[in-house]
Amino acid sequence: MRRAGAVCAARVGAWLGGALPPPRGPGMAEPAPGAEGKAEGEEGAAPAPKKRRLAGGERYVPPPRKLSAGVSFGPAHFAETSYYLEGGLRKNNDFLRNTVHRHEPPVTAQPIEILVEDDEVVVVDKPSSLPVHPCGRFRHNTVIFILGKEHDLKELHTIHRLDRMTSGVLMFAKTAAVSKRIDEQVRERQLEKEYVCRVVGEFPEHEVVCEEPILVVSYKVGVCRVDPKGKFCKTIFQRLSYNGKTSVVRCLPRTGRTHQIRVHLQYLGHPIVNDPIYNMAAWGPARGKGGEIGKTDEELLKALVEEHRSKQSLDILGISEQDLNSSAENEDSGNSGDCARSAQAGPVSENSCPAEDTKDPEKDAEDPERNDVAAHPLNSGTNPETLEKYKELGSCENQGGQAGEKSSEEKDPLCAECKITRRDPSPKELVMYLHALRYKGAEFEYCSRMPEWAMDDWEE
């Protein structure tokens, strides 16, 4: 008993000296937070609140906390919407903004030459590697955008299109009436088109007619092949010259299927010399001659992608690592919400859209080498303000520095492309030896100069 009493006496002494908090018995209120350890009269110490004993069974309720005033609505918030009254109701218009992070591939610096401009049409000589209109990963490096930005040619109507890697005569109408008139000639097959290309090997001297049907294998990568289940095609070929290694060939397409000229030349065993799709080792030893591939469509697409990946030239295909990664995720999750997916498996991105000839079988008579594949075309006469808004999006390479400069601030940790250092293609890699030389209609005929690589004395 004496020992216990000694302990109690020691605690009472410590309490009186301030070393320990006062004892709390039943019914005593808790001290205010922070009040412990502060002597009365100490600088900065608040007066000790008066304590009261709680009646038996009464519960202690702490005083309400003082809330922070926080941040109220400001001018930026008020500018987000506007009100209008309708039918006795208050309604509002929301303003939404979406920031896009993307990497736009480089294109050739060769200028767009204007061949003809009058009150009705604008006719240009399109360089290789430029898409006609914004599509896929391309926005600013397109013919439509460059003509508007550098030549003040706006509100143009696309009459026909050329594949991104195809150069040559490209027509635009300045009014909807002109566009409709020429479009009727296109649909009635009154438009004569002449192409020129340089192909591998010695092309036959006599006229060659190819009528093999063509099937689209992948819309995203932009791959087609000859297949009995494809659409009817007809192309007439005539050799112009042969230099002992390669031949210059005149091409007269009578139908307008996607990549028609390129696919028919591959089938004949004379692919275009520098075709980044149809003259690749992925097609096998025969490079697709006679339709002999020896692979399933899925295996073919995988081989093509891997071949370009090993050469660091995925930009030539118009796809990126991020496209391929998102495609794999979509396939793993069973997502069927892609904008386009071919009958066969292939890399597809949410930025891709189906070729137009899948919607309207007759509409693909417009042009045999048009940029349908992996394209998201704008309507004819697109509002120039829409195109100007693309400036606000910008690619991450173009933000915060001069051309060619990159800073760590521009990198997005969630972007697969930001983590890759890929070489720029050489100007030579951005040229394919296929050129739209002449377009002739009932009321017009437009021609461009013969490209340098098609001259008789040209050497590789």
Side-chain angles (χ1 to χ4, degrees), residues 128-275:
S128 182
S129 79
L130 266 70
V132 175
H133 45 57
C135 60
R137 303 178 66 207
F138 293 89
R139 292 291 181 273
H140 305 131
N141 291 336
T142 60
V143 177
I144 284 283
F145 194 93
I146 294 173
L147 288 178
K149 182 177 177 64
E150 298 185 358
H151 299 275
D152 198 33
L153 293 170
K154 303 175 182 179
E155 300 186 41
L156 299 178
H157 300 253
T158 54
I159 297 173
H160 66 99
R161 293 176 298 280
L162 294 175
D163 183 80
R164 182 169 60 90
M165 296 302 294
T166 304
S167 59
V169 178
L170 182 63
M171 298 171 55
F172 297 97
K174 285 190 171 181
T175 66
V178 174
S179 176
K180 182 179 179 180
R181 186 175 75 239
I182 300 178
D183 188 60
E184 290 175 354
Q185 298 181 32
V186 173
R187 293 182 179 278
E188 294 175 3
R189 303 185 187 277
Q190 297 178 356
L191 185 66
E192 297 180 14
K193 296 160 284 187
E194 178 181 347
Y195 291 76
V196 64
C197 62
R198 183 172 286 276
V199 303
V200 174
E202 184 178 3
F203 199 86
E205 288 187 299
H206 59 82
E207 182 179 273
V208 176
V209 179
C210 186
E211 297 181 308
E212 297 296 330
I214 292 178
L215 179 71
V216 177
V217 175
S218 169
Y219 294 99
K220 180 56 193 176
V221 182
V223 180
C224 303
R225 61 175 173 82
V226 167
D227 189 280
K229 300 188 296 291
K231 295 181 179 180
F232 170 76
C233 301
K234 181 178 180 179
T235 314
I236 301 173
F237 299 101
Q238 180 65 58
R239 192 179 86 184
L240 299 180
S241 65
Y242 173 59
N243 65 3
K245 294 181 180 179
T246 59
S247 304
V248 176
V249 178
R250 179 173 176 252
C251 315
L252 301 174
R254 298 309 188 204
T255 53
R257 309 304 183 192
T258 303
H259 291 182
Q260 174 178 323
I261 294 174
R262 298 163 67 182
V263 174
H264 276 176
L265 286 169
Q266 180 199 48
Y267 181 85
L268 295 173
H270 299 279
I272 294 174
V273 170
N274 54 357
D275 194 316

Side-chain angles (χ1 to χ4, degrees), residues 64-128:
R65 287 185 179 182
K66 185 178 181 181
L67 300 179
S68 172
V71 179
S72 182
F73 291 120
H77 300 93
F78 298 134
E80 291 176 352
T81 188
S82 60
Y83 297 114
Y84 64 96
L85 305 181
E86 182 179 76
L89 302 174
R90 177 190 292 270
K91 299 183 179 180
N92 64 288
N93 297 316
D94 289 332
F95 175 76
L96 304 177
R97 173 175 291 174
N98 181 37
T99 300
V100 178
H101 174 86
R102 59 184 177 81
H103 296 250
E104 184 162 344
V107 297
T108 180
Q110 180 182 348
I112 300 174
E113 181 183 358
I114 298 179
L115 302 176
V116 175
E117 181 186 356
D118 55 30
D119 294 337
E120 293 191 337
V121 298
V122 175
V123 184
V124 303
D125 188 352
K126 183 186 89 69
S128 182

Side-chain angles (χ1 to χ4, degrees), residues 1-15 20:
M1 294 295 293
R2 290 193 318 182
R3 183 177 182 182
V7 173
C8 290
R11 290 182 62 84
V12 170
W15 166 49
L20 291 176

Side-chain angles (χ1 to χ4, degrees), residues 370-414:
R370 69 186 191 282
N371 191 26
D372 277 345
V373 177
H376 194 176
L378 298 175
N379 294 330
S380 296
T382 299
N383 190 326
E385 294 180 0
T386 303
L387 294 178
E388 288 298 323
K389 287 182 180 178
Y390 288 131
K391 295 179 181 179
E392 298 180 1
L393 304 180
S395 59
C396 80
E397 291 93 344
N398 294 333
Q399 295 176 358
Q402 299 296 325
E405 292 183 359
K406 283 192 176 183
S407 68
S408 59
E409 296 179 355
E410 298 170 354
K411 294 185 180 296
D412 185 342
L414 300 179

